[in-house]
Amino acid sequence: MLQTIDIRTVKSYDLNQTQSSIQLIEIEDDISATFELMKILHQYNSQSGWTLLIAPDQVPSKSLLDSCSIDKSKLLVIRQKHLSNLDYVLNSALNNGNFSAVITWTNMLNDYQLDLLTKAKISSNTNLYCFSDKKQTINSHYVS
């Protein structure tokens, strides 16, 4: 079965996602990244599972989360610099059933890791979002 990696842009972002794919979100700057991140966090705020945010140094402040009515008790934030094995954390989060969404940035992942995550995502009910701060040509990227 072939699975595609969906690319979402800020201008046409849609919260209706395909369960079997990774949602790549192209952003242009830190402001658009924060805006899109808040939309995703707000969407999963009312669901039963945790939301895992594996983030580079720019993570949302507690005051911003409060102002957007995000329940911080359902949000687990791990900074990239505190991870020793990113692959293990992502695969565990996708497969343990306690997370409704996992959010990361593609500049943390190489193409091989992205392919492995796409394969792991096929059997997972957890939604996976990858923010990309550069234009990527993954339109025809397929994983078998």
Side-chain angles (χ1 to χ4, degrees):
M1 177 183 217
L2 296 176
Q3 299 295 321
T4 62
I5 296 177
D6 294 340
I7 297 178
R8 308 290 177 158
T9 60
V10 171
K11 295 180 181 81
S12 64
Y13 185 72
D14 183 11
L15 292 178
N16 297 323
Q17 59 270 355
T18 307
Q19 275 296 103
S20 63
S21 63
I22 297 174
Q23 306 299 310
L24 281 179
I25 303 168
E26 292 180 345
I27 46 125
E28 296 173 4
D29 54 29
D30 288 344
I31 294 171
S32 63
T34 301
F35 178 71
E36 293 304 309
L37 179 59
M38 289 298 109
K39 284 173 41 177
I40 293 168
L41 292 176
H42 192 268
Q43 175 188 7
Y44 289 99
N45 195 42
S46 61
Q47 294 190 6
S48 61
W50 286 76
T51 300
L52 173 62
L53 173 59
I54 300 175
D57 292 332
Q58 67 269 15
V59 294
S61 67
K62 290 180 182 178
S63 60
L64 178 60
L65 293 171
D66 287 337
S67 68
C68 293
S69 301
I70 304 297
D71 183 3
K72 295 183 297 288
S73 68
K74 295 174 69 176
L75 178 64
L76 178 60
V77 178
I78 304 175
R79 292 181 189 242
Q80 179 184 13
K81 63 184 177 184
H82 295 130
L83 286 175
S84 59
N85 190 341
L86 177 62
D87 293 332
Y88 175 77
V89 171
L90 287 171
N91 282 316
S92 296
L94 286 175
N95 294 313
N96 76 5
N98 293 327
F99 293 93
S100 54
V102 175
I103 305 165
T104 189
W105 271 252
T106 56
N107 61 349
M108 295 180 191
L109 305 167
N110 59 37
D111 289 339
Y112 178 73
Q113 290 171 311
L114 211 52
D115 286 345
L116 289 177
L117 285 175
T118 302
K119 290 176 183 176
K121 174 64 185 96
I122 292 170
S123 62
S124 173
N125 289 330
T126 302
N127 292 298
L128 178 60
Y129 295 88
C130 291
F131 281 76
S132 175
D133 59 359
K134 60 184 178 196
K135 297 293 180 190
Q136 296 180 339
T137 55
I138 307 180
N139 294 332
S140 60
H141 186 92
Y142 291 94
V143 176
S144 57

